[in-house]
Amino acid sequence: MSRKTSGPGQLCTKTEVQLALTPEQDGISWPVEKFLHEFQLPSAELEIQNKELRHALAELEKSRDCYMDLYNFAPVGYLTLTSEALIAEVNLTGATLLGIERKELLLHHFTHFIADDYSDHWHHFFLGVLQRDERQDCELVLKRSNGSLFHAHLDCLHVKTDNGGHLARIAFTDISERKQAEETLRIAAIAFESQEGIMVTDANGVIQRVNNAFTRLTGYSMEDAVEKTPALLSSGRHDKHFYQCMWTTLNEQKYWQGEMWNKRKNGKICADWLTITAVAAPDGNITHYVGTFSDITSNPESLAEIHRLAYYDLLTQLPNRRMLLDRLRQALAASNRSKHYGALLFLDLDNFKNLNDTRGHYIGDLLLVEIAHRLNANVREGDTVARLGGDEFVLMLENLSDNIQEAAIQADLVGEKVRDAVALPYKLKGLELWCTASIGVSLFYGHEASVDELLKYSDFAMYHAKKEGRNSVRFFDPEMQATLIERSALESDLRHALGRQQLRLYYQIQVNNERRAIGAEALLRWIHPERGLILPEQFIPLAEKTGLIVPIGLWVLQTACAQIKDWSGNPATSSLQLALNASALELRQPDFVEHVRQAISTTGINPALLKIELTESQLIDNISDTVAKMNALKALGIRFSMDDFGTAYSSLAYLKQLPLDQLKIDQTFVRDLGDNSSNAALVQAIVLMGRTFGLDVIAEGVEIEAQLEFLNLHGCHAYQGYLFSRPLPLEEFEEFIERV
Ligand code: C2E
Ligand code: MG
Ligand code: MG
């Protein structure tokens, strides 16, 4: 047995030490004590060292196991190849990727796992790996043992062994999914650049991307279009109803296809065949819309179709506004020659919107088609029945008498006949429905009036028929003419009102149950240089019709914010919440939220002191957009009140969606609280509803103590009305507030 020595740094076990010392003892006779003494020290030291050794070994084993686990179960396949590309080593993942048992792999030729088309590429690459000392990678198609293929990414390193041999260490992963995604992307990119115009919008309809064909077809570049909405292309030839139907289909079926008139950048109006597809995320929420369109104006085969599109209403197949105007021009010329009267009957359905909202657009459409039939059945051949859009129809009667009274009687007869026909019940999809129409009539004779004027006259007469109780026929008369003339004069004055600083805000106090001032409502007044003070009822509808309400509304907003700022220094006014009225058109402006944000930040006011009053009808129109805008404003700290609450048909479903703070009971319910018990019940119901939704309730139009008492008793929180004060000009309001 050879003796083991323990040199410096070398360790041996306790028994080995004892064995090693035994022969030494034979030759040398040391005193036992000395030996024991000499031996005890190293033996204690060795004992410690042995412990450390065992510990180190255990640690080593642990880390080797850990390494082996990492090696085997790494998400990457590891291979070691000899210089002949024989598999010398493989981890479990590698074997799994290649679809074979690990033990069967060893000393297999790796080339067997290379797809045939890639073997040259592999040989070339492998040679390169063995020749160089740096890391190299490549993408290949590998073949599993069952013959199936997959794309792999290989990362290789050349290693020299101690005995001068060469090895290649390879890490490889399955990249099939990535390859497939890349391919899908490549195909999508090619498809995106197809001949058809494509635009992609986000869920809010804001354009994110357009393709080159879009630019070629419309004239709008990517920069022109991105961040805009498809309204950029709007031709103005489709009415609200058309878009409503489109959105209903899109929401229900996630898909819409049809013809649409679009305006090019150069102003030309073209017919497009448009397909819109909604793109939903896995959770079902719509994330994008993809619109694909091609121009069908230039396709000769579509010319007849285009004519139909251009001159006929798609739903009812009746002539549309353009065709009507053409025919009306011809009719005026014919009347001029024949000296016979003609008539234009403007027909608008009563409560169609209501029916459309409650029964759905599909039933609404069926009703319109049925009405178109009934109208056609009640006019003579040669007369024109046209649909202007929505629920508006026009009948043009030609060749009436050459005597004005007789012509009027003839037109009236047709009007009454049509009115009766529309009022008959409808059976649509098993539903029995009723609908009535209001009809306005104007006579024409030669070129006495222009085409536009005639339409305006009958429209105005129809408006009077509606005002007088609906389901009736009303003729345009000289009195109406005078009103119309006055209205158009007012309209042209209104265009200057803002610039000439003729607008004012009046302030009407709002109080709480203790009759303490808590806020005010800003109410617009127009101080006309000749007519004096004009109330909003007389000019706001006009401002809305002409779009002037947008700049006017902005002025109201800025003035109200400046007023809050001005009041902030005075303890009598600093905590007043100021309410302003915003009209539907203002709310629909894409930059409405931004304008409010700016008005707040430039004045630096506390946003909680600003309240915006909206009416129910304006909220229903485009509820998702409204809710989004209201939420954005809410986030700034602004409050919302629902004005004239109770006058529209309130649906709890939408009320729940709106981030409101307050309901404002309409003054009509407050007015006859004393003698109308149904109004009393309604007021109670509104207060209850407010409580259910966590909203406070204010009553407007409180004029007498009895009303206040009733409202107070039924849980109303705040009040506004002549009982406390009328709306006052700024100076008077400021004086008044100091006094109360
Ligand atoms: P509103 O927002 O419902 O305003 C309440 C109306 O009731 C005001 O009429 C107010 O003067 C009147 N009123 C207040 N207390 C009483 C009362 O005790 N008895 C009676 N009989 N009436 C009372 P005003 O000022 O003529 O405004 C009419 C409407 O015009 C407003 O109705 C609002 O819808 C609109 N309006 C006013 N200012 C603006 C504005 O700046 N922008 C917009 N878009 N609309 C405005
Ligand atoms: Mg109001
Ligand atoms: Mg109101």
Side-chain angles (χ1 to χ4, degrees):
M1 187 180 138
S2 71
R3 208 192 94 193
K4 283 200 173 174
T5 52
S6 314
Q10 270 185 291
L11 294 168
C12 41
T13 66
K14 192 178 170 189
T15 13
E16 277 174 333
V17 173
Q18 280 168 344
L19 284 173
L21 284 170
T22 316
E24 297 275 353
Q25 266 183 304
D26 296 339
I28 311 161
S29 70
W30 281 351
V32 174
E33 292 78 13
K34 185 172 182 240
F35 169 75
L36 281 176
H37 179 73
E38 295 281 314
F39 179 69
Q40 262 168 0
L41 269 176
S43 120
E45 214 167 89
L46 283 172
E47 183 62 24
I48 293 167
Q49 286 175 345
N50 283 341
K51 254 192 197 158
E52 283 172 358
L53 176 70
R54 279 198 301 275
H55 182 67
L57 274 174
E59 284 295 308
L60 200 65
E61 262 168 34
K62 234 173 27 192
S63 70
R64 198 201 52 209
D65 288 350
C66 176
Y67 162 76
M68 284 313 284
D69 283 349
L70 282 176
Y71 174 73
N72 277 323
F73 300 107
V76 178
Y78 291 116
L79 284 168
T80 305
L81 300 187
T82 66
S83 53
E84 290 81 38
L86 291 173
I87 300 175
E89 227 177 51
V90 60
N91 70 344
L92 271 178
T93 311
T96 313
L97 282 171
L98 296 174
I100 188 167
E101 287 278 318
R102 178 147 66 152
K103 55 181 183 296
E104 287 178 41
L105 260 180
L106 296 178
L107 296 182
H108 246 73
H109 222 289
F110 184 58
T111 321
H112 288 156
F113 296 97
I114 305 287
D116 299 345
D117 290 350
Y118 286 80
S119 62
D120 285 351
H121 181 56
W122 160 251
H123 283 302
H124 188 73
F125 172 73
F126 189 58
L127 267 177
V129 169
L130 293 179
Q131 279 163 9
R132 267 171 267 147
D133 279 339
E134 74 232 26
R135 259 173 79 163
Q136 293 173 62
D137 67 333
C138 75
E139 285 180 9
L140 285 176
V141 175
L142 296 184
K143 189 166 61 183
R144 296 188 188 90
S145 64
N146 66 4
S148 64
L149 303 176
F150 68 99
H151 283 272
H153 177 262
L154 275 61
D155 220 326
C156 304
L157 188 66
H158 174 207
V159 183
K160 286 192 191 115
T161 59
D162 292 346
N163 56 13
H166 296 269
L167 292 175
R169 296 214 196 279
I170 300 179
F172 68 109
T173 46
D174 182 346
I175 55 164
S176 301
E177 272 181 24
R178 197 190 83 200
K179 279 282 178 195
Q180 202 163 5
E182 279 171 8
E183 189 159 68
T184 312
L185 270 181
R186 202 165 44 83
I187 294 170
I190 292 169
F192 191 69
E193 287 313 334
S194 74
Q195 292 311 301
E196 298 206 312
I198 301 178
M199 62 182 150
V200 181
T201 76
D202 65 11
N204 298 319
V206 177
I207 299 174
Q208 307 292 302
R209 266 187 83 177
V210 298
N211 67 351
N212 289 330
F214 174 97
T215 303
R216 185 166 38 75
L217 289 168
T218 65
Y220 290 107
S221 67
M222 177 88 100
E223 294 76 55
D224 291 338
V226 166
E227 295 297 317
K228 306 271 172 29
T229 69
L232 180 71
L233 306 176
S234 167
S235 65
R237 283 197 187 172
H238 301 283
D239 61 6
K240 219 166 92 186
H241 184 74
F242 175 86
Y243 292 106
Q244 267 172 2
C245 292
M246 184 184 97
W247 278 107
T248 309
T249 314
L250 204 48
N251 287 336
E252 283 166 7
Q253 294 165 20
K254 311 282 174 259
Y255 180 80
W256 180 88
Q257 203 169 40
E259 299 141 329
M260 192 182 275
W261 289 103
N262 281 329
K263 190 149 104 191
R264 306 298 188 230
K265 193 175 181 180
N266 63 12
K268 196 174 152 201
I269 296 197
C270 298
D272 288 328
W273 178 257
L274 173 67
T275 305
I276 307 175
T277 312
V279 182
D283 61 7
N285 282 330
I286 305 290
T287 57
H288 295 87
Y289 293 99
V290 180
T292 319
F293 64 96
S294 51
D295 186 342
I296 49 175
T297 324
S298 45
N299 178 355
E301 281 171 22
S302 337
L303 280 179
E305 180 63 11
I306 285 160
H307 183 265
R308 193 180 65 74
L309 256 179
Y311 290 100
Y312 287 87
D313 167 50
L314 293 176
L315 177 68
T316 59
Q317 307 303 324
L318 291 178
N320 63 10
R321 176 188 285 269
R322 174 145 357 102
M323 169 83 110
L324 173 74
L325 294 183
D326 271 8
R327 289 206 185 156
L328 189 53
R329 265 180 224 111
Q330 289 167 20
L332 296 190
S335 151
N336 196 36
R337 284 192 303 272
S338 69
K339 307 294 175 213
H340 280 258
Y341 279 85
L344 210 58
L345 282 69
F346 200 111
L347 184 148
D348 187 289
L349 302 181
D350 302 325
N351 292 325
F352 178 71
K353 187 172 167 2
N354 214 332
L355 184 135
N356 216 17
D357 289 344
T358 51
R359 303 283 183 184
H361 291 284
Y362 176 62
I363 294 292
D365 282 358
L366 291 182
L367 181 75
L368 292 173
V369 172
E370 178 55 26
I371 285 173
H373 287 314
R374 293 188 188 182
L375 297 183
N376 259 330
N378 281 287
V379 295
R380 291 180 305 184
E381 208 174 312
D383 292 338
T384 299
V385 178
R387 177 171 173 234
L388 295 191
D391 59 347
E392 292 177 348
F393 296 87
V394 168
L395 279 64
M396 185 183 80
L397 314 178
E398 283 190 82
N399 247 331
L400 301 177
S401 168
D402 56 1
N403 171 295
I404 185 164
Q405 270 85 25
E406 278 177 23
I409 292 169
Q410 289 170 321
D412 190 38
L413 270 176
V414 177
E416 288 296 341
K417 214 162 71 165
V418 163
R419 184 184 67 90
D420 290 344
V422 171
L424 293 173
Y426 296 80
K427 275 223 157 64
L428 301 170
K429 297 281 156 200
L431 287 172
E432 187 157 24
L433 300 173
W434 281 267
C435 181
T436 58
S438 300
I439 303 172
V441 187
S442 66
L443 293 180
F444 61 84
Y445 185 73
H447 294 293
E448 274 178 0
S450 74
V451 166
D452 287 341
E453 281 168 335
L454 280 172
L455 263 179
K456 206 187 280 179
Y457 293 166
S458 11
D459 184 5
F460 200 58
M462 182 278 293
Y463 168 74
H464 276 264
K466 276 223 189 281
K467 252 185 32 183
E468 285 157 19
R470 308 174 166 204
N471 192 19
S472 63
V473 181
R474 183 79 155 87
F475 268 69
F476 184 72
D477 62 28
E479 209 178 303
M480 287 185 206
Q481 181 134 17
T483 319
L484 261 187
I485 291 171
E486 193 186 302
R487 205 170 75 170
S488 74
L490 204 65
E491 186 179 313
S492 75
D493 287 350
L494 187 60
R495 291 187 189 280
H496 306 293
L498 197 55
R500 294 181 184 160
Q501 288 155 12
Q502 295 166 354
L503 298 181
R504 298 274 180 285
L505 284 185
Y506 275 38
Y507 300 88
Q508 188 179 28
I509 189 178
Q510 296 179 337
V511 300
N512 63 8
N513 277 317
E514 282 92 48
R515 281 205 184 200
R516 283 239 297 280
I518 50 168
E521 178 174 10
L523 293 156
L524 195 56
R525 298 291 181 265
W526 179 10
I527 317 290
H528 192 282
E530 284 112 41
R531 294 164 196 248
L533 188 137
I534 305 182
L535 289 172
E537 266 159 29
Q538 287 162 274
F539 69 91
I540 294 234
L542 212 63
E544 281 174 340
K545 202 182 104 217
T546 51
L548 285 167
I549 193 69
V550 176
I552 291 179
L554 186 59
W555 177 84
V556 170
L557 170 73
Q558 289 165 345
T559 312
C561 289
Q563 197 53 64
I564 296 175
K565 170 82 191 159
D566 214 43
W567 285 343
S568 64
N570 180 350
T573 48
S574 62
S575 57
L576 291 184
Q577 217 177 61
L578 188 58
L580 59 83
N581 296 278
S583 89
L585 200 66
E586 290 175 71
L587 196 68
R588 251 183 271 139
Q589 300 302 307
D591 44 11
F592 181 68
V593 175
E594 193 43 43
H595 281 157
V596 179
R597 198 196 311 268
Q598 267 174 20
I600 290 173
S601 69
T602 42
T603 49
I605 58 163
N606 172 5
L609 293 180
L610 182 66
K611 185 155 68 187
I612 298 180
E613 293 192 1
L614 302 164
T615 61
E616 286 175 86
S617 47
Q618 75 193 71
L619 292 177
I620 306 168
D621 253 8
N622 189 352
I623 187 121
S624 57
D625 177 60
T626 309
V627 171
K629 283 186 175 142
M630 285 175 78
N631 279 329
L633 290 171
K634 265 307 295 213
L636 298 180
I638 285 169
R639 310 196 177 191
F640 286 100
S641 180
M642 185 175 284
D643 207 350
D644 305 343
F645 190 69
T647 50
Y649 70 104
S650 313
S651 146
L652 289 182
Y654 80 76
L655 199 61
K656 261 198 315 211
Q657 294 180 46
L658 299 170
L660 290 167
D661 300 277
Q662 188 178 60
L663 298 178
K664 197 168 189 185
I665 306 176
D666 190 65
Q667 47 184 289
T668 49
F669 306 118
V670 176
R671 193 170 303 144
D672 27 42
L673 262 185
D675 43 51
N676 189 329
S677 64
S678 72
N679 277 347
L682 211 127
V683 165
Q684 290 175 27
I686 294 177
V687 172
L688 197 70
M689 204 184 290
R691 202 172 296 152
T692 315
F693 289 113
L695 309 173
D696 65 31
V697 176
I698 184 168
E700 68 181 349
V702 182
E703 294 185 350
I704 52 172
E705 292 288 347
Q707 292 163 346
L708 175 66
E709 223 166 89
F710 179 92
L711 292 159
N712 202 331
L713 195 69
H714 287 93
C716 206
H717 307 97
Y719 314 89
Q720 179 183 343
Y722 294 170
L723 178 63
F724 315 101
S725 160
R726 289 182 173 259
L728 299 171
L730 178 63
E731 303 72 34
E732 285 179 39
F733 179 79
E734 287 178 338
E735 276 174 33
F736 168 76
I737 206 85
E738 293 288 350
R739 274 187 278 121
V740 290

